[in-house]
Each structure stands twice: as structure tokens, then as C-alpha cells.
Amino acid sequence: MTQRVLRTLMPSSPILLLAAVSAGLAIVSLLFGALLSDLGSSELVAIGWSMFAVICFAVWARKSFDVFEPIVPMAISTFIGGTLRSMYIAWSPRDYSVVQFLVGDMTPSQLAQYEFMVPIALASMALGYLAWRGRVPIERLPVMRNTQWPAARTLLIAGTYALLGMIGVYILIKSTGISFAGLAGLSAKRTIDLSSQGGDQYAHAGYLRWLAACLRVSLLLLYMAWASRKDADGNPKPFGPFRAIVLVGLLLACMVWPVLSSSRTAVIEIVFNLMVIYVYARNRGNFGRFFRICMTVLVFALVVLVGMGLWRNLSQRGTVTPAPFLQTFADQSLGSGNFLPAERAAFIMANYGDRPYRYGSSYLVWLTMPIPKSLWPDRPDISEMDDFVKGQIYGRDVIQGGYPPGMIGEAYINFGYFGVLFIPFLLGALQRFVYVTFRPLLGVNRNATLLYAAILWEIGFQVADLNISLLMANVITTVLPLLLAFAFMKKAPAGLAAPAAAVAPLPALAIKGRPA
């Protein structure tokens, strides 16, 4: 009898269970706050849990979903940046330096008055994601039919990109004046000092960073080529010692500039790209192996977040204050401002004042990106929005980097509360559009699989915490080198590059959602 009752009450989907637990914790937080007369902190915690509940309900609303759909990374970003960070802010002392960095002097009660808009915005995004249906038949594009990758040609193209990437890293190291005299100063935010031109000026060296990123393109091309090799029975071929050594060497080379520039998420992104390729190309449907891969990547991400965060502190302050491990982990992960910046969106809404709205102009800045500033000195910068948030909204000095507003904060800066409601809807529809366009080709078409794996971080994670023009710049600079590489590959014989309509959708790992 008891087991029958439990089966009746227990949700049929683990995602529905997560959503129900999150919603329940939000309600419990409010009740405890009322009992303890501490509604400010409890409201903030409740809002954090409601964010995650909204995204989980959206995932559950699908009959089944792929673990690498864009909404899944979005759910992870929401849990870290929305749910966990809200609890971190609510339960930390007001004068704690990391909390001051995140929200200034705002109390949890003041923050909650504006952060309640974040779960509403996420609900709008979820509706857009669930509503979209159409796709573009990209398999008809000539460049997407060049799926025959001759070994010699692939090595030549990947080697060329690797050489260009190493040249870019070398020039960046020289331009930014990195000293290898000591360990402490090796990992820090890097810019090129232009003070010799008058005043304190800094450049972020976008073209050089793009050149350095060619190392990542080389790694992804070779990994895709070798991971998708099959024997006569259709089973994945082993990499072998030579290929493994080359891939490890390229992986380490790819991480040189992200480590030197203290870009923790860039390091994690490279490993995430490889994981997506591996699962689609070699591990379809094997949950046990997929779980082990995820745990390995998770441990790696935690080590990078904490280790590189402490390294950055050592570089900037010359010392690291000893602290318990959990506090150090929370400070370096939740206190970093990465992932969904719910508290930053609330801070922007609270302190924007009577400044004029941008009315969509910030979403178009990426179109001017290819024009050199030597030709257009006043060209809008894709990081201007970040500088505006840090300098004008937070009132802090902007020297070598600003604060990205995130999709919700930027929506408010452009259209006010109306933007908070409709911009996430459009972005959710765009995420779904990208996924359904690629889905029938994933694991079937090498080019499509590699493109999707390369941009999933941007459309799944970065859409939440960057400004849109910077996001578009990242997508373009990722996609263009890959398309150029595909153009030099050979067209597959008829029948090998099957149109999407003839290919059954094959998710990397399907998880049960709502009942059919």
C-alpha cells in the first residue's frame, strides 16, 4: 500500500522531481522567513529556487530532451548564477568583500524587490523555447556536404590553424608584456597598454585573440576527425598513442592563453567542446559512460574555478588569505559573477535611474566589428556595454574590463521592463531554432556535429551572462574558421550526406520528460 502511494505521488520524470523540489524549497524559504522575521534573505533564496524551478518545468514540458539541448546548459547556468548565488548573497555578511563586489551596498530585501523579475524573464525564455518549431535545411549548403575528410588534407588544415594560433599566442605574450620571472604574475586579465598614445588607454586585442583561438579550431578539427572514425562493423576506432599525444599537446597549447589571461570559463569551454563531440561521435546512448565523463569534466571545472581564481588573487594582490575550503570554493565560483548574473540584472534595474534606454542599439554593435578603428576611430566597441555597467551603474573605475550585463540586464537597458519580458522570449526561440536546425544531423554529419559542439557553449551558457554583441562576436569568430576548413574538404558521394528529412533524430542521450 505504501509503495503504491509513493509511486502515485512520485513524479514520473527526474526533471519534474527537480522542478517540484525547487518550487517546494522556494515556498519553504518564504515560510521560514516569515517565522524568523527575516523576509529579506528568505525572499532572495525563494526567488533563486523559483528560477531553477521555471527552467526545470520548461525542460520537463518536452516529451524527451537531449542532454545537449541549449536549454540544459541554460538550466545549469541558472542553478549556479541564480539559485546558488542568491543563497550565497543572502547568507553572507553584508560587509563581506565578495558580496560588496556583487551587489554593492544593496541588502537582500532591496535586491529581492527587483530580482523577482528574473524568474519571470526565464519563464518568457522558456515559452519562446517551447513555442519554436521551424528549422533551416543547412544540409543543402555546399559547405555542409563536404563531409569527406581525407587524412592528409585534414592534418594540413589543422596544422595550418595550429601554426596561426601559436603565432597569435606569441604576439599576444609580447604585446601584453607578460613576464615569466615568477609564478604569481603569470595568470591575470590582459590588455595592451596604449598609454603612449596619450592618457590611460587599453586595447583588448580582438584580432590577436581570434588568431590565438585558431589553436582551438585545430584541436576540434582533429578531434572530430579521429573521434568519428569507425571500423568495418561501425564501432569507434581507438585513437592510438600518436593521435592521443597530438591531441593532448594541442589541448595544452589551447589552454596557454586562457590561463595567462586568467579566463577560467575559456579553459572549461575547450573541455566542454570535446565532451560534446565525444558523446555525439562515440558514446551515443551509453548513460554509464556519459555519467563518468560528466563527473570528470565537473571535477576539472571545479579545480579550474577555484585554482585559477586563487592564482588571479595572488597575481592581483600578491597574497592569498587562508580560508576554509567551502568558503574558498564559494568565493571563487559563486562570487565570480560568471553564469546567469541574476543579482547584476537586479542591480541594474535598481540603479538605472532616468538614463535613456538604448532601444536595441546595443544588439547591433557586433555588425561594426570587422571595421578597423583606424578607419572608424569612433566605432562602437563590443565591450562598451560592459564598461557602461561597471562605470555608470556600479560607479567603479573602468580600466581593463567591465561587467557584462547578461541577457536580462541588457534587455532592461534597451527597453526597460518591457524588454525584460520579450527579449528572453526571442532568445529562447533562437536557442530552439539553432537546436532543431542541427538536431537531425548530429552524429550523422561531421560538419554539423562539429559546428554545433563548437557553439553550444555560446548559445547555452554565454547567452545568459554576456552582452549580445559580444556573444555574436564569439559565435562568428568560432564559426568562420570552421566553415573555411570545411570548404577545403571533399564533397561526400551521393547518399553519404543524406538530407535531414531522411535521417531520424538521434539525440546524444535522451532523457524522459513529460508523458506522451
Side-chain angles (χ1 to χ4, degrees):
M1 179 65 179
T2 303
Q3 292 181 349
R4 187 182 305 167
V5 172
L6 287 175
R7 282 197 300 268
T8 303
L9 295 177
M10 184 67 68
S12 58
S13 165
I15 304 302
L16 180 58
L17 178 61
L18 271 179
V21 169
S22 300
L25 288 172
I27 295 172
V28 169
S29 298
L30 289 176
L31 293 176
F32 267 101
L35 290 174
L36 300 175
S37 301
D38 184 21
L39 272 178
S41 297
S42 63
E43 283 176 350
L44 193 61
V45 173
I47 291 170
W49 279 111
S50 65
M51 296 178 204
F52 191 54
V54 165
I55 294 294
C56 286
F57 275 120
V59 175
W60 170 78
R62 305 280 315 288
K63 293 178 182 179
S64 66
F65 66 92
D66 187 344
V67 292
F68 289 131
E69 287 191 41
I71 199 170
V72 176
M74 185 68 201
I76 297 171
S77 181
T78 299
F79 182 68
I80 297 172
T83 306
L84 296 182
R85 189 176 294 139
S86 292
M87 291 190 290
Y88 175 78
I89 295 171
W91 296 337
S92 297
R94 296 299 94 223
D95 58 351
Y96 190 42
S97 60
V98 182
V99 175
Q100 289 282 313
F101 162 75
L102 292 172
V103 296
D105 294 324
M106 289 187 71
T107 64
S109 179
Q110 293 171 329
L111 206 60
Q113 293 176 28
Y114 298 92
E115 196 168 304
F116 80 93
M117 288 297 300
V118 175
I120 296 175
L122 292 175
S124 174
M125 186 177 197
L127 287 175
Y129 190 89
L130 295 173
W132 188 265
R133 291 291 184 270
R135 70 179 296 271
V136 172
I138 58 172
E139 65 277 358
R140 297 178 184 174
L141 297 174
V143 73
M144 299 303 291
R145 299 182 72 87
N146 293 352
T147 54
Q148 296 293 96
W149 293 15
R153 189 174 301 187
T154 303
L155 281 172
L156 177 62
I157 295 171
T160 302
Y161 274 122
L163 179 61
L164 291 173
M166 287 186 283
I167 292 173
V169 172
Y170 175 78
I171 297 174
L172 279 169
I173 291 173
K174 287 293 186 180
S175 302
T176 52
I178 297 176
S179 172
F180 292 88
L183 181 65
L186 281 182
S187 184
K189 292 297 182 182
R190 305 292 180 183
T191 53
I192 297 176
D193 189 354
L194 303 177
S195 56
S196 59
Q197 300 180 14
D200 293 330
Q201 301 180 49
Y202 296 87
H204 293 276
Y207 283 106
L208 289 177
R209 292 172 187 267
W210 188 12
L211 190 62
C214 287
L215 274 167
R216 172 173 166 248
V217 177
S218 174
L219 172 65
L220 296 183
L221 280 170
L222 283 182
Y223 190 74
M224 182 74 241
W226 293 341
S228 57
R229 294 163 64 246
K230 300 289 194 298
D231 60 22
D233 297 325
N235 299 315
K237 288 184 177 180
F239 286 101
F242 169 76
R243 294 183 179 88
I245 291 171
V246 171
L247 290 174
V248 170
L250 273 175
L251 177 61
L252 295 176
C254 285
M255 292 183 177
V256 170
W257 181 249
V259 169
L260 292 178
S261 60
S262 192
S263 180
R264 295 178 287 182
T265 53
V267 173
I268 299 172
E269 179 185 0
I270 295 169
V271 177
F272 179 80
N273 295 151
L274 298 177
M275 178 178 73
V276 177
I277 293 173
Y278 181 86
V279 172
Y280 276 119
R282 301 176 72 88
N283 191 64
R284 188 177 299 280
N286 188 327
F287 184 83
R289 187 181 300 168
F290 172 78
F291 180 78
R292 292 192 295 271
I293 293 171
C294 284
M295 289 299 100
T296 302
V297 172
L298 177 61
V299 171
F300 174 81
L302 295 179
V303 171
V304 169
L305 285 172
V306 176
M308 288 186 62
L310 293 174
W311 195 357
R312 182 191 300 177
N313 290 345
L314 180 63
S315 173
Q316 293 174 344
R317 304 170 189 171
T319 184
V320 175
T321 304
F325 172 78
L326 287 180
Q327 180 184 331
T328 301
F329 169 72
D331 291 348
Q332 299 301 329
S333 54
L334 305 179
S336 66
N338 293 324
F339 303 104
L340 177 71
E343 81 296 335
R344 190 171 297 157
F347 193 94
I348 290 171
M349 287 184 266
N351 295 277
Y352 197 76
D354 57 358
R355 295 179 178 87
Y357 296 126
R358 301 291 183 94
Y359 296 110
S361 62
S362 74
Y363 296 127
L364 304 177
V365 172
W366 64 274
L367 294 172
T368 68
M369 181 183 65
I371 304 175
K373 284 204 169 184
S374 59
L375 299 179
W376 185 4
D378 296 327
R379 187 203 72 191
D381 196 290
I382 57 174
S383 62
E384 184 275 332
M385 178 64 72
D386 304 356
D387 297 343
F388 169 77
V389 171
K390 185 177 181 180
Q392 301 297 319
I393 306 299
Y394 278 81
R396 297 170 181 172
D397 292 335
V398 180
I399 299 178
Q400 299 185 20
Y403 298 159
M407 69 167 184
I408 300 173
E410 187 175 11
Y412 183 85
I413 291 171
N414 278 277
F415 300 105
Y417 287 110
F418 180 66
V420 174
L421 294 178
F422 88 86
I423 292 295
F425 180 90
L426 297 178
L427 292 175
L430 181 61
Q431 283 184 318
R432 178 74 176 154
F433 164 72
V434 172
Y435 176 68
V436 297
T437 293
F438 280 92
R439 182 184 180 186
L441 305 172
L442 297 177
V444 177
N445 182 300
R446 275 177 169 176
N447 301 4
T449 304
L450 179 52
L451 272 180
Y452 183 75
I455 65 171
L456 181 57
W457 182 274
E458 282 79 8
I459 65 173
F461 285 108
Q462 289 187 351
V463 71
D465 65 342
L466 295 184
N467 72 68
I468 296 301
S469 283
L470 183 55
L471 170 69
M472 288 299 300
N474 289 345
V475 171
I476 291 169
T477 53
T478 296
V479 168
L480 284 183
L482 290 174
L483 291 179
L484 183 62
F486 299 159
F488 286 97
M489 298 299 184
K490 293 179 64 176
K491 184 177 179 180
L496 290 185
V503 180
L506 294 171
L509 192 68
I511 304 295
K512 185 178 180 183
R514 66 177 176 82

